[in-house]
Amino acid sequence: MSSQTPPRPLGPELTLADNLDDAADVLVIGLHTGEDGPSAVVGDDILDAAVVDDIVAALRAVGAKGKAEELTRIAAPAALPVDSVLAVGLGKADDVTPEQIRKSAGVAARSLAGVEAAATTLSTLDVGAAAEGFYLGAYTFSKLKTKDVTTPLQRVVLLSTDKSAAGALTRSAAIAEAVATAREFVNTPPSHLYPAEFASQAEALGKAAGLAVEILDDKALEQGGYGGIFGVGKGSSRLPRLVRLTYSSGKDDATKVALVGKGITFDTGGISIKPAANMENMTSDMAGAAAVIATIVLAAKLELPLDVIATVPMAENMPSDTAQRPGDVLTQFGGTTVEVINTDAEGRLILADAIVRACIDSPAYLIDTATLTGAQQIALGNRTPGVMGTEEFRDRVARISQETGENGWPMPLPAELRADLNSKVADLANVTNHRYGGMLSAGLFLKEFVPDDVAWAHIDIAGPAYNTGGPFGYIGKGGTGVPVRTLIAVLEDIAANG
């Protein structure tokens, strides 16, 4: 297969305007609930007051309440140069947050599939949140379909008279595109995205963004002592890769941040094979890698004043006569020996190699992210990432994640679980072989490879990275792009505060 970067654009064109002209088919407004009925969010000097009164009266007549994410569509008053008005609920005015604006914009965007262009007044509340919600709500993965494809919303005019709106839109459009890029990688099936192809696409994106790129193939990995990555990937005919992407700000005193993302392009479990039911969802087991690649490209696009190095291990975990076996001992990059008790606990093996390599660069901060454990879903559900690591940085990352709407939650690394990773024949075992604290013991395994002087956070996104249920807010079915918004917000926070 020829290597191509994900297609552009992945969402609707986003433009700014200070008035409603005839360039849109639908006007999307926000609607607040209230004791006296719903009230419209239209901003100052955007629409004539009499027209707004007519819209609100029509919405009340058909029963619109303004409850969060409720949709009501009516014919537009004759005075407006659009065909219809779509009201999306925001809930009570005092309770509206940027995340609620994103969700409501996303719901509206999904409902407008097949519409060419929409204008919105949600941007009068928060142009960035509205832009992200519309872009991500409109995103679909349909490039492999040949029949019955509905075209998503193509263009959104964000109405605002705020003079600072242009800068906010530029930043949010870049963030939304990065999230969609991560989604595009995750949604691409393993037949089309395997380690060599993933590495090639990462290289293309990196070079287009001005990043330095280094790729180690299977031979270089074996010869270089990357026993975790090579051990996991050697059971597949599509052999592993390690991709290194470097963004340099050009500042002599720039803080250095390492990003590491798990890139298992498909996970059968290897010899410890998974049940057949729902195994197709393991196409998402490279979501951490997708997020890290998208984030470092975004950091370059935003010209953040820090240095970022992404170390991304890529492998396909397959059972075969060359696959590693339960009971094998491998040597991780850096020399630590690991007894492989369960070949389905492979993510931590490739991450350990990548973490050790990343720390050779002496970063001040290290963030790794992975669809690492089913235990994350048991503990926190499908929408809440677990954040582990050094306590101060862990809490900082979790707080920022909550502020972005990705809702990471700080989790402990209990010392008493560490002894359960001891092996009779090696330095470590890759699992405890019991069901207690599985997410936490995986974090403890990774902790063994992080130097004490590095501020570290591990984000387990096993559930949040891939939506197997129905769409909600600005999240469709499939890849979600979590935790790109957390990662870029943490990088911005480090750039601003050290």
Side-chain angles (χ1 to χ4, degrees):
M1 177 187 301
S2 62
S3 176
Q4 296 180 353
T5 58
R8 297 292 187 269
L10 297 174
E13 177 188 359
L14 303 172
T15 59
L16 272 175
D18 58 9
N19 63 81
L20 181 64
D21 58 22
D22 59 357
D25 305 302
V26 180
L27 172 65
V28 180
I29 66 170
L31 209 61
H32 289 311
T33 58
E35 293 182 1
D36 299 325
S39 58
V41 178
V42 295
D44 297 329
D45 303 322
I46 300 293
L47 298 179
D48 182 79
V51 173
V52 174
D53 289 343
D54 288 345
I55 292 171
V56 172
L59 289 168
R60 290 181 176 185
V62 296
K65 304 296 185 186
K67 294 180 180 179
E69 298 162 53
E70 170 194 73
L71 292 174
T72 309
R73 192 167 176 179
I74 59 173
L80 292 182
V82 294
D83 298 325
S84 62
V85 175
L86 176 65
V88 58
L90 292 165
K92 294 180 180 178
D94 292 342
D95 297 337
V96 174
T97 63
E99 179 64 4
Q100 185 57 63
I101 296 167
R102 283 188 202 96
K103 289 178 179 178
S104 294
V107 169
R110 286 193 287 106
S111 76
L112 294 175
V115 172
E116 174 68 24
T120 184
T121 62
L122 290 175
S123 42
T124 64
L125 293 174
D126 188 321
V127 69
E132 291 170 21
F134 272 100
Y135 194 100
L136 296 174
Y139 167 84
T140 60
F141 183 82
S142 58
K143 66 182 182 181
L144 300 181
K145 292 186 176 182
T146 61
K147 299 177 181 178
D148 303 322
V149 179
T150 300
T151 303
L153 180 63
Q154 296 294 293
R155 190 164 63 87
V156 179
V157 180
L158 298 144
L159 299 170
S160 177
T161 57
D162 183 354
K163 300 301 182 184
S164 66
L169 176 58
T170 297
R171 174 183 177 274
S172 290
I175 290 172
E177 183 182 39
V179 174
T181 296
R183 289 182 180 183
E184 193 82 351
F185 277 134
V186 174
N187 289 333
T188 301
S191 54
H192 291 63
L193 193 74
Y194 41 89
E197 177 64 15
F198 195 11
S200 181
Q201 292 196 22
E203 179 182 27
L205 280 177
K207 287 185 174 179
L211 306 179
V213 181
E214 176 189 13
I215 299 177
L216 301 184
D217 64 11
D218 55 290
K219 294 182 177 61
L221 290 169
E222 184 177 20
Q223 293 169 3
Y226 291 87
I229 302 171
F230 185 77
V232 171
K234 68 181 183 177
S236 174
S237 61
R238 304 192 291 190
L239 290 164
R241 297 290 187 272
L242 178 66
V243 176
R244 300 253 300 159
L245 304 170
T246 301
Y247 163 65
S248 298
S249 64
K251 298 182 179 297
D252 293 337
D253 60 346
T255 302
K256 186 179 293 184
V257 182
L259 301 179
V260 174
K262 174 186 172 185
I264 298 293
T265 58
F266 192 77
D267 184 18
T268 66
I271 298 299
S272 307
I273 197 164
K274 295 176 181 289
N278 301 315
M279 194 194 290
E280 69 276 8
N281 294 330
M282 287 299 99
T283 184
S284 66
D285 214 18
M286 35 58 68
V292 162
I293 293 165
T295 298
I296 191 170
V297 169
L298 176 58
K301 182 176 293 187
L302 296 179
E303 299 181 344
L304 297 188
L306 42 69
D307 294 343
V308 185
I309 304 176
T311 304
V312 188
M314 301 172 176
E316 187 175 66
N317 190 21
M318 298 287 284
S320 74
D321 61 345
T322 59
Q324 64 181 352
R325 298 160 290 260
D328 280 359
V329 172
L330 56 77
T331 301
Q332 301 278 173
F333 184 70
T336 299
T337 57
V338 174
E339 180 186 8
V340 180
I341 293 176
N342 187 328
T343 66
D344 194 24
E346 85 298 329
R348 66 199 68 184
L349 300 177
I350 70 169
L351 286 175
D353 277 359
I355 286 170
V356 174
R357 176 60 189 89
C359 289
I360 290 176
D361 300 318
S362 300
Y365 297 93
L366 166 68
I367 310 171
D368 78 85
T369 186
T371 49
L372 202 61
T373 66
Q376 177 273 323
Q377 296 167 278
I378 300 301
L380 295 174
N382 288 324
R383 300 188 189 181
T384 304
V387 186
M388 289 149 276
T390 53
E391 290 188 8
E392 183 178 353
F393 190 50
R394 173 202 67 190
D395 292 347
R396 182 179 178 182
V397 171
R399 171 182 56 80
I400 291 170
S401 181
Q402 290 163 23
E403 291 170 354
T404 68
E406 290 188 334
N407 300 319
W409 196 256
M411 300 296 290
L413 292 174
E416 68 273 13
L417 289 176
R418 170 58 187 84
D420 297 337
L421 290 170
N422 289 336
S423 165
K424 299 186 296 295
V425 297
D427 297 326
L428 288 170
N430 74 326
V431 294
T432 62
N433 242 358
H434 61 64
R435 62 190 293 267
Y436 305 109
M439 173 174 58
L440 313 181
S441 61
L444 284 165
F445 180 92
L446 296 178
K447 184 177 184 290
E448 292 292 311
F449 300 90
V450 181
D452 292 338
D453 61 348
V454 176
W456 165 59
H458 160 64
I459 308 174
D460 193 332
I461 53 171
Y466 197 72
N467 177 31
T468 59
F472 59 94
Y474 50 87
I475 304 291
K477 194 164 184 175
T480 65
V482 173
V484 169
R485 290 190 296 122
T486 294
L487 294 176
I488 197 63
V490 171
L491 293 180
E492 290 178 322
D493 188 67
I494 292 171
N497 302 304

